[in-house]
Each structure stands twice: as C-alpha cells, then as structure tokens.
Amino acid sequence: MDCTMISLNEVKQHQPSVDEMRSLAANRPRTNVLGKDFVIYPGVFHPELAFDITEYVNEEILKVINGELREKSEEKSFDFLEVGCGAGYTAILTALASEKCHVWATDINEAAVKNTIENAELHGVDARLKAVTADVFDHNILTGKEFDMIYWNMPSVGQNTEPGIEVDVLMRSLLDPGYQSIRRYLMEAKKFLKKTGRIFAVFSFNLGSGDLFKRVVNETGWTYKIYSTNKFFFGIADEQHKSDVSVLEFLKQEE
C-alpha cells in the first residue's frame, strides 16, 4: 500500500470524530468547562467530544499555572501562550486565574480564533488576551516575545499521514501529518521562553506513536517528563475508545 493510501486511511479512520464535533456544534453550541460557559462555533474543536479529558487537562494545567503564580508572586505579570487554542477555554481560564495573567493564543483555524475572541469578551478578559491565526508560532505579534509558560493540547495522531497531505482544518485539531507541527513547536519554542519559562503539552501515547514522538522530542533538543497521566473511555459513532492522556513538561537536554 503506497503512502498516500495509508495517509487517506488514517484520515478516514478519524472522520467520525470530526463528524461528531460538527454534530455537537449544531446541537449544543454552548458548553461548560470547569464551571464556566463557552460558545463553540461550528468548525471548531468541540470539548464535549471527550469532555472528561477536557476537564482533566484543564484542571492539571491550571494547577501548574497557580503554582507558578505563587512561585512568581513578586512578578508584575505572568505571560502565557496557548498554541492550538480552539474555542479558547484554556486561555480564558488562565486569564481568569489572576489579573496578573496576560494571555496570547494562536490557532491555525481562523474560526477558532474568532471563537476565542468572543469567549474572551464573554468573560471580560479580552483586554488581557490576544488571539491570532497562526501556524504554531508563525505570527508577527509573537516576534521578540518571551513567555513564562507555553502550552499546547496537541493532536496525537498523524503518525501514518505524509506531511503535505491536504487535511480539513477541523481534522487538524486531531491529526498532525507526520508530527510536523509538533516538531515545529519544539524546534521554535526555546526562543519564546523566558529564562525560567516552562513548556507543556498534552499527548496520548496509545492513540499516537510513542516512538515517533520520542524521536521528534530528542531530535529537537528536548527531553520530557510526565507531569500527570490518566486513562479515559469515550464514545464516537457508537464505538467505545480507550485513551491514555498525559500532561507533559519538556526539559532542555543537557549540553
């Protein structure tokens, strides 16, 4: 089987999840994450696709953020960047954690960025949150900027999809062809981190390829540690799926 056919098969495998998100947006255009209401646009990742996972990863990331706020209590601001912000709930929950939090958010999906801006206005944090359409860090608003924390709930699948394959923008929230965006995230992140900055991500080692992920991490000059991990069951198209979900912190390799 040639590479193109393998790539198309992987896309087809995850199409039910994309269809489910579109159905959720049509029927439940508002949702609640950790006690806060959010509008979800059609064509944007819907957190109720795997709601328990959404709540878990946001709880874990907010633990890190609150710990950093205590550790850096004398600092005037805490600068946070979320890559792949979707509807913006993580970015907004971060902004709500403290008035010291200044938040930047990027997403390759223009609808997601507009969705994030609306939700920021809904929660009254739009003055401290900037959201832009960008492929990972590729936007001039980030030029010369350094952050206390960078975070991405990254797509775990795409290990069998050739880079360059055309993929629907909503599918990109689940699938990163050849882990090319993950590679860019890790290659470019160092120049956007403050000296004491930290970088996190969410990854599933049973949905994705642990071997490819570890190779990308190593080749881009990082190691990682698992901050927390959990297992979940969720239903898509009347089928039950099991997923491990890990919150990871990346650490620079020793010179």
Side-chain angles (χ1 to χ4, degrees):
M1 186 179 294
D2 65 29
C3 292
T4 301
M5 185 60 68
I6 293 171
S7 297
L8 292 175
N9 283 346
E10 187 172 38
V11 171
K12 184 177 179 181
Q13 177 187 351
H14 295 284
Q15 188 61 47
S17 296
V18 173
D19 295 340
E20 178 73 9
M21 283 193 285
R22 290 201 166 99
S23 175
L24 284 166
N27 294 296
R28 293 202 287 277
R30 298 182 75 94
T31 193
N32 185 290
V33 178
L34 297 183
K36 302 295 183 182
D37 290 327
F38 296 94
V39 175
I40 309 296
Y41 285 11
V44 175
F45 181 91
H46 201 297
E48 292 185 31
L49 179 72
F51 186 72
D52 289 347
I53 295 175
T54 297
E55 293 243 304
Y56 163 71
V57 299
N58 278 278
E59 284 175 347
E60 295 302 304
I61 288 301
L62 285 171
K63 286 179 188 176
V64 177
I65 291 165
N66 286 321
E68 287 291 290
L69 288 169
R70 289 191 295 270
E71 184 74 19
K72 299 179 178 180
S73 59
E74 296 183 2
E75 299 292 332
K76 292 183 178 179
S77 70
F78 181 81
D79 298 324
F80 177 88
L81 170 62
E82 182 181 17
V83 172
C85 60
Y89 35 88
T90 303
I92 290 159
L93 290 167
T94 299
L96 290 170
S98 169
E99 291 189 0
K100 292 172 59 173
C101 291
H102 294 266
V103 179
W104 284 255
T106 71
D107 202 293
I108 198 171
N109 183 351
E110 185 176 359
V113 172
K114 292 178 179 178
N115 198 167
T116 295
I117 292 169
E118 178 174 336
N119 280 323
E121 292 171 349
L122 177 67
H123 288 281
V125 296
D126 47 304
R128 291 186 288 111
L129 192 153
K130 297 180 176 68
V132 295
T133 306
D135 187 357
V136 190
F137 302 110
D138 188 19
H139 195 285
N140 58 18
I141 198 174
L142 302 179
T143 302
K145 187 70 188 166
E146 293 182 334
F147 298 93
D148 294 284
M149 184 170 166
I150 301 174
Y151 165 73
W152 185 15
N153 187 348
M154 56 180 50
S156 293
V157 300
Q159 62 268 32
N160 298 316
T161 303
E162 283 290 295
I165 291 286
E166 286 291 328
V167 178
D168 174 87
V169 69
L170 187 53
M171 179 69 74
R172 286 292 297 270
S173 65
L174 303 174
L175 188 151
D176 175 19
Y179 292 178
Q180 290 301 292
S181 293
I182 294 174
R183 182 178 292 276
R184 286 189 55 214
Y185 179 68
L186 294 172
M187 284 183 65
E188 299 176 16
K190 290 176 185 176
K191 66 183 179 183
F192 294 102
L193 279 174
K194 294 181 182 180
K195 189 173 182 179
T196 59
R198 301 171 73 183
I199 176 170
F200 285 80
V202 174
F203 189 79
S204 172
F205 287 94
N206 74 308
L207 291 179
S209 167
D211 289 342
L212 178 57
F213 179 79
K214 291 171 186 175
R215 186 162 74 245
V216 170
V217 171
N218 181 64
E219 290 173 354
T220 52
W222 298 91
T223 61
Y224 70 87
K225 66 178 182 180
I226 295 177
Y227 174 79
S228 78
T229 190
N230 210 335
K231 296 186 183 297
F232 298 89
F233 290 89
F234 59 97
I236 298 293
D238 298 323
E239 292 185 9
Q240 282 292 114
H241 299 260
K242 182 180 180 181
S243 175
D244 69 71
V245 176
S246 297
V247 179
L248 311 173
E249 180 173 9
F250 297 100
L251 308 168
K252 295 176 185 176
Q253 291 178 7
E254 295 183 6
E255 300 293 338

